[in-house]
């Protein structure tokens, strides 16, 4: 157990470096993570899309491949206790959805790039989609391997339409559990009252991607050392509960709501108590996506 991790049930953040205050009030750099304690389906969605131009075709021989990269131990950063729970959730969830799993643990930057490049070069003609789950430390725009960082765009670029032709026009989903900065969300109080498709067409190479980030740009991302990250807990729960019933963006909105309303940090670490989090969904999808029932 790393310094500062006093309880197995604590929440921590997926960041490279946090700052704590000395007794004299000066800020000091630290690579330690925060530690604290947590505070009727319809079958219509499972039918084939047929020739619906606004819905992704999912009745291929395979729904696709799901790559899960789970980085826990790092050369110069704190280990990510609880990430194995996230990986187990992801494996169970996407396996139930029908994906063929490809799991890799503690990957260096080179290994991550090689793995994703190799998968992008495979023939996905018989697959309906592609999924990648990245569990690691992060900062805005970058994801960490065990030995350093890499820009996220460099890991995803080979799946674009001009690089991976067999996934052209198909959904490519990236779920990213990692910090995107050093800000903490204090939250705020709110008062509430009770046609046939064309056979040939040109599309943007950036089309049909979805990037689901665990947190908003610039913010930390919380992870419980016993239960896994807030985001992955919510994502897996909602995917299983609403598959075949709701469209993916509707599911992701429910993920946002779950993380936003059902989680709040509780800690005796200065400045880390009662913090909130909201995921961030960036979509370039061009159709509705319904997972098979």
């Amino acid at each position: 157990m790393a310094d500062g991790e006093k309880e197995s049930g604590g929440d921590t953040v997926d960041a490279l470096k946090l700052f704590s205050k000395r007794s004299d009030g000066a800020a000091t750099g630290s690579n330690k993570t925060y530690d604290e304690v947590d505070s009727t389906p319809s079958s219509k969605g499972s039918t084939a899309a047929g020739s619906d131009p606004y819905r992704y075709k999912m009745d291929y021989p395979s729904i696709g491949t799901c790559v899960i990269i789970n980085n826990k131990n790092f050369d110069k950063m704190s280990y990510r206790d609880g990430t194995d729970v996230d990986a187990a959730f992801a494996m169970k969830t996407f396996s139930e959805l029908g994906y063929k799993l490809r799991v890799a643990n503690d990957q260096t930057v080179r290994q991550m790039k090689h793995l994703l490049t190799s998968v992008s070069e495979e023939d996905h003609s018989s697959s309906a989609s592609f999924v990648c789950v990245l569990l690691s430390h992060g900062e805005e725009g970058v994801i960490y391997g065990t030995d350093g960082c890499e820009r996220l765009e460099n890991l995803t670029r080979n799946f674009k339409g001009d690089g991976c032709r067999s996934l052209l026009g198909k959904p490519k989903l990236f779920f990213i559990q990692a910090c995107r900065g050093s800000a903490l969300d204090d939250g705020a109080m709110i008062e509430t009252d009770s046609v046939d498709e064309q056979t040939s067409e040109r599309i943007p190479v950036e089309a049909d991607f979805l990037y689901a980030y665990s947190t908003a740009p610039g913010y930390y991302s919380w992870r419980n050392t016993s239960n896994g990250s807030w985001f992955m807990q919510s994502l897996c729960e909602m995917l299983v509960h609403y598959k075949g019933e709701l469209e993916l963006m509707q599911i992701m909105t429910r993920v946002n709501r779950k993380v936003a309303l059902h989680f709040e940090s509780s800690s005796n670490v200065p400045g880390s108590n009662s913090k909130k989090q909201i995921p961030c969904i960036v979509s370039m999808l061009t159709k509705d996506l319904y997972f098979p029932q």
Side-chain angles (χ1 to χ4, degrees):
M1 184 174 296
D3 291 345
E5 298 196 351
K6 300 177 182 178
E7 301 182 49
S8 61
D11 286 331
T12 186
V13 290
D14 282 321
L16 168 64
K17 182 177 291 188
L18 303 180
F19 289 89
S20 58
K21 289 187 176 180
R22 297 199 305 258
S23 58
D24 60 3
T28 59
S30 170
N31 62 1
K32 301 174 185 175
T33 54
Y34 278 131
D35 173 67
E36 43 85 27
V37 180
D38 270 338
S39 57
T40 20
S42 168
S43 61
K44 293 181 180 179
S46 61
T47 59
S51 59
D52 188 345
Y54 297 105
R55 184 163 166 174
Y56 284 111
K57 171 181 164 62
M58 298 299 286
D59 58 347
Y60 284 83
S62 169
I63 191 173
T65 298
C66 173
V67 174
I68 300 173
I69 295 178
N70 177 34
N71 291 338
K72 178 178 181 178
N73 302 291
F74 298 80
D75 294 346
K76 297 181 180 179
M77 291 179 285
S78 57
Y79 71 100
R80 301 179 59 253
D81 198 11
T83 189
D84 290 336
V85 180
D86 280 350
F89 277 144
M91 292 169 63
K92 183 176 186 296
T93 298
F94 287 102
S95 177
E96 288 182 3
L97 290 174
Y99 284 90
K100 299 175 182 177
L101 301 182
R102 195 85 60 85
V103 182
N105 296 308
D106 289 340
Q107 298 287 285
T108 64
V109 168
R110 182 177 180 180
Q111 288 172 328
M112 288 195 299
K113 293 176 69 174
H114 180 266
L115 172 59
L116 291 176
T117 298
S118 297
V119 174
S120 73
E121 293 172 347
E122 295 174 359
D123 184 5
H124 300 270
S125 299
S126 62
S127 297
S129 61
F130 170 75
V131 169
C132 179
V133 179
L134 298 173
L135 310 171
S136 192
H137 284 304
E139 293 178 5
E140 181 56 33
V142 304
I143 196 83
Y144 279 83
T146 59
D147 61 345
C149 67
E150 181 59 87
R151 294 199 62 80
L152 182 63
E153 63 189 41
N154 292 336
L155 297 178
T156 64
R157 65 173 46 171
N158 290 328
F159 291 94
K160 294 180 181 180
D162 57 352
C164 184
R165 301 290 298 179
S166 59
L167 283 174
L168 184 63
K170 301 175 182 178
K172 296 161 279 281
L173 315 176
F174 289 82
F175 300 97
I176 304 139
Q177 168 57 42
C179 281
R180 303 181 69 188
S182 58
L184 291 169
D185 192 332
D186 294 325
M189 299 304 296
I190 183 173
E191 295 182 6
T192 58
D193 299 323
S194 1
V195 171
D196 292 338
E197 298 184 48
Q198 297 179 348
T199 57
S200 178
E201 59 186 357
R202 294 180 65 223
I203 62 174
V205 298
E206 303 281 356
D208 304 303
F209 277 83
L210 178 134
Y211 301 95
Y213 297 93
S214 60
T215 191
Y219 283 87
Y220 283 129
S221 184
W222 292 94
R223 168 175 37 84
N224 185 275
T225 56
S226 293
N227 302 321
S229 64
W230 301 357
F231 174 65
M232 290 304 297
Q233 290 180 59
S234 304
L235 173 67
C236 293
E237 177 186 342
M238 295 302 163
L239 284 175
V240 170
H241 185 76
Y242 290 110
K243 65 180 180 181
E245 177 184 356
L246 296 182
E247 196 274 328
L248 178 58
M249 292 305 295
Q250 292 178 302
I251 295 176
M252 296 312 300
T253 299
R254 282 157 175 77
V255 173
N256 283 1
R257 179 178 176 83
K258 177 79 174 184
V259 174
L261 300 183
H262 290 258
F263 294 92
E264 181 174 302
S265 65
S266 175
S267 176
N268 56 9
V269 176
S272 65
N273 189 48
S274 300
K275 301 304 178 183
K276 303 292 288 184
Q277 180 178 320
I278 182 71
C280 178
I281 315 304
V282 179
S283 174
M284 278 83 84
L285 298 179
T286 59
K287 301 180 183 181
D288 294 334
L289 196 166
Y290 287 87
F291 290 109
Q293 187 69 280

